[in-house]
Amino acid sequence: MGKDWQRAGAGGWGVYLDVLNLLELDDHDIDYFYASRLRGEPVDGIEDIHYHVFEPRSLRLSLRYRF
């Protein structure tokens, strides 16, 4: 989840501010279901849900030039 604000400059330059996870949600970005195996577990692995959490609230400032 992000919001992008742009201030257009002369000559193709732009300054951008990205706000990531503005609401500080503690949720999963994406969930996967697949078999994985750790040491000591069965050879076929164990099927389970694996997930990637949202990025913490953060700001990203960038300077870009467009040709």
Side-chain angles (χ1 to χ4, degrees):
M1 173 193 276
K3 182 65 179 166
D4 192 21
W5 288 277
Q6 173 186 1
R7 176 172 166 79
W13 287 96
V15 176
Y16 295 83
L17 176 65
D18 295 308
V19 181
L20 304 174
N21 199 4
L22 179 64
L23 301 176
E24 193 65 30
L25 298 175
D26 186 25
D27 201 359
H28 301 168
D29 188 24
I30 190 165
D31 293 327
Y32 303 95
F33 184 81
Y34 60 89
S36 64
R37 181 177 179 272
L38 298 173
R39 184 180 303 149
E41 293 182 343
V43 175
D44 292 337
I46 297 175
E47 292 185 344
D48 198 4
I49 296 174
H50 303 270
Y51 57 88
H52 184 267
V53 295
F54 281 132
E55 298 276 339
R57 183 183 314 143
S58 56
L59 299 174
R60 179 174 40 206
L61 181 66
S62 59
L63 176 65
R64 300 178 193 164
Y65 180 76
R66 293 190 182 206
F67 295 92

